[in-house]
Coordinates of all heavy atoms in Angstrom, one line a residue:
L156 N -211.2 -8.2 213.8 CA -212.3 -9.0 213.2 C -213.5 -9.1 214.1 O -214.5 -9.7 213.7 CB -211.8 -10.4 212.8 CG -212.5 -11.1 211.6 CD1 -212.4 -10.3 210.3 CD2 -211.9 -12.5 211.4
G157 N -213.4 -8.5 215.3 CA -214.5 -8.6 216.2 C -214.4 -9.8 217.2 O -215.3 -10.0 218.0
L158 N -213.3 -10.5 217.1 CA -213.1 -11.6 218.1 C -212.6 -11.1 219.4 O -211.8 -10.1 219.4 CB -212.1 -12.6 217.5 CG -212.5 -13.2 216.1 CD1 -211.3 -14.1 215.6 CD2 -213.7 -14.1 216.3
I171 N -218.7 -12.6 197.0 CA -220.0 -13.2 197.2 C -221.0 -12.4 196.5 O -220.9 -11.1 196.4 CB -220.3 -13.4 198.7 CG1 -221.6 -14.3 198.9 CG2 -220.5 -12.1 199.4 CD1 -221.9 -14.6 200.3
N175 N -226.8 -12.7 198.7 CA -226.6 -13.8 199.5 C -225.9 -13.4 200.9 O -225.8 -14.3 201.8 CB -225.7 -14.9 198.8 CG -226.4 -15.5 197.6 OD1 -227.6 -15.5 197.5 ND2 -225.6 -16.0 196.7
M176 N -225.5 -12.2 201.0 CA -224.6 -11.8 202.1 C -225.4 -11.9 203.4 O -224.8 -12.5 204.4 CB -224.1 -10.3 201.9 CG -223.2 -9.8 203.0 SD -221.6 -10.7 202.9 CE -220.8 -9.9 201.6
D177 N -226.5 -11.3 203.6 CA -227.2 -11.2 204.9 C -227.5 -12.6 205.5 O -227.3 -12.8 206.7 CB -228.5 -10.5 204.7 CG -228.3 -9.0 204.5 OD1 -227.2 -8.5 204.8 OD2 -229.2 -8.3 204.0
S178 N -227.9 -13.6 204.6 CA -228.2 -14.9 205.2 C -226.9 -15.7 205.4 O -227.0 -16.8 206.0 CB -229.1 -15.6 204.2 OG -228.5 -15.8 202.9
F179 N -225.8 -15.2 204.9 CA -224.6 -16.0 204.9 C -223.7 -15.7 206.2 O -223.2 -16.5 206.8 CB -223.8 -15.7 203.7 CG -222.6 -16.6 203.5 CD1 -222.7 -18.0 203.2 CD2 -221.3 -16.1 203.6 CE1 -221.6 -18.8 203.0 CE2 -220.2 -16.9 203.5 CZ -220.3 -18.2 203.2
I180 N -223.6 -14.4 206.5 CA -222.7 -13.9 207.6 C -223.3 -14.3 208.9 O -224.4 -14.1 209.2 CB -222.5 -12.4 207.5 CG1 -221.9 -12.0 206.2 CG2 -221.7 -11.9 208.7 CD1 -220.6 -12.6 205.9
D181 N -222.4 -15.0 209.7 CA -222.9 -15.4 211.1 C -221.9 -14.9 212.2 O -222.1 -15.1 213.4 CB -223.0 -16.9 211.2 CG -221.7 -17.7 210.9 OD1 -220.6 -17.0 210.8 OD2 -221.7 -18.9 210.8
N182 N -220.8 -14.3 211.7 CA -219.8 -13.7 212.7 C -219.2 -14.8 213.6 O -218.6 -14.5 214.6 CB -220.3 -12.6 213.5 CG -220.6 -11.3 212.7 OD1 -219.7 -10.8 212.0 ND2 -221.8 -10.9 212.6
K183 N -219.3 -16.0 213.1 CA -218.6 -17.1 213.8 C -217.7 -17.9 212.8 O -216.5 -18.1 213.1 CB -219.7 -18.1 214.3 CG -220.6 -17.5 215.4 CD -221.6 -18.5 215.9 CE -222.5 -17.9 217.0 NZ -223.6 -18.9 217.4
K184 N -218.2 -18.2 211.7 CA -217.4 -18.9 210.6 C -217.2 -17.9 209.5 O -216.2 -17.9 208.8 CB -218.1 -20.1 210.1 CG -218.2 -21.3 211.2 CD -219.1 -22.4 210.7 CE -218.5 -23.1 209.4 NZ -219.4 -24.2 209.0
Y185 N -218.2 -17.1 209.2 CA -218.2 -16.2 208.1 C -218.5 -14.7 208.6 O -219.4 -14.5 209.3 CB -219.3 -16.6 207.1 CG -219.2 -18.0 206.7 CD1 -220.2 -18.9 207.2 CD2 -218.2 -18.5 205.9 CE1 -220.1 -20.3 206.8 CE2 -218.1 -19.9 205.6 CZ -219.1 -20.7 206.1 OH -219.0 -22.1 205.7
F186 N -217.5 -13.9 208.2 CA -217.6 -12.5 208.7 C -217.7 -11.5 207.5 O -217.3 -11.9 206.3 CB -216.3 -12.2 209.4 CG -216.0 -13.0 210.6 CD1 -215.5 -14.3 210.5 CD2 -216.3 -12.6 211.9 CE1 -215.3 -15.1 211.6 CE2 -216.1 -13.4 213.0 CZ -215.6 -14.6 212.9
P187 N -218.1 -10.3 207.7 CA -218.1 -9.3 206.6 C -216.7 -9.1 206.1 O -215.7 -9.2 206.9 CB -218.6 -8.0 207.3 CG -219.4 -8.5 208.5 CD -218.7 -9.8 209.0
F197 N -216.7 -11.4 201.7 CA -216.8 -11.9 203.1 C -215.4 -12.5 203.5 O -214.5 -12.7 202.7 CB -217.9 -13.0 203.2 CG -217.6 -14.3 202.5 CD1 -217.1 -15.4 203.2 CD2 -217.8 -14.4 201.1 CE1 -216.8 -16.6 202.6 CE2 -217.5 -15.6 200.5 CZ -217.0 -16.7 201.2
T198 N -215.3 -12.8 204.8 CA -214.0 -13.3 205.4 C -214.2 -14.6 206.0 O -215.2 -14.9 206.7 CB -213.5 -12.2 206.4 OG1 -213.1 -11.0 205.7 CG2 -212.3 -12.7 207.2
I199 N -213.2 -15.5 205.8 CA -213.1 -16.7 206.6 C -211.8 -16.7 207.3 O -210.7 -16.4 206.8 CB -213.1 -17.9 205.6 CG1 -214.5 -18.0 204.8 CG2 -212.9 -19.2 206.3 CD1 -214.5 -19.1 203.8
C200 N -211.8 -17.2 208.6 CA -210.6 -17.4 209.3 C -209.9 -18.7 208.9 O -210.6 -19.7 208.8 CB -210.9 -17.4 210.8 SG -211.5 -15.9 211.5
S204 N -211.7 -23.4 211.4 CA -213.1 -23.3 211.7 C -214.0 -23.6 210.5 O -215.2 -24.0 210.7 CB -213.4 -21.9 212.2 OG -213.0 -20.9 211.3
V205 N -213.4 -23.5 209.3 CA -214.1 -23.9 208.1 C -213.2 -24.9 207.4 O -212.0 -24.6 207.2 CB -214.3 -22.7 207.2 CG1 -215.0 -23.1 205.9 CG2 -215.2 -21.6 207.9
E209 N -214.4 -26.8 201.9 CA -215.4 -25.8 201.9 C -214.8 -24.4 201.4 O -215.4 -23.7 200.6 CB -216.1 -25.6 203.2 CG -217.4 -24.8 203.2 CD -218.1 -24.9 204.5 OE1 -217.9 -25.9 205.3 OE2 -218.9 -24.0 204.8
Y213 N -215.7 -22.1 197.9 CA -215.9 -20.6 197.9 C -214.9 -19.9 197.1 O -215.2 -18.8 196.5 CB -216.0 -20.1 199.4 CG -217.2 -20.5 200.1 CD1 -217.1 -21.1 201.4 CD2 -218.5 -20.4 199.6 CE1 -218.2 -21.6 202.1 CE2 -219.6 -20.8 200.3 CZ -219.4 -21.4 201.6 OH -220.5 -21.9 202.2

Side-chain angles (χ1 to χ4, degrees):
L156 204 61
L158 301 173
I171 189 174
N175 296 336
M176 183 68 77
D177 289 342
S178 61
F179 188 72
I180 300 301
D181 60 9
N182 289 303
K183 294 178 181 178
K184 293 171 62 176
Y185 309 107
F186 300 82
F197 72 98
T198 292
I199 297 175
C200 296
S204 56
V205 178
E209 194 170 333
Y213 290 128

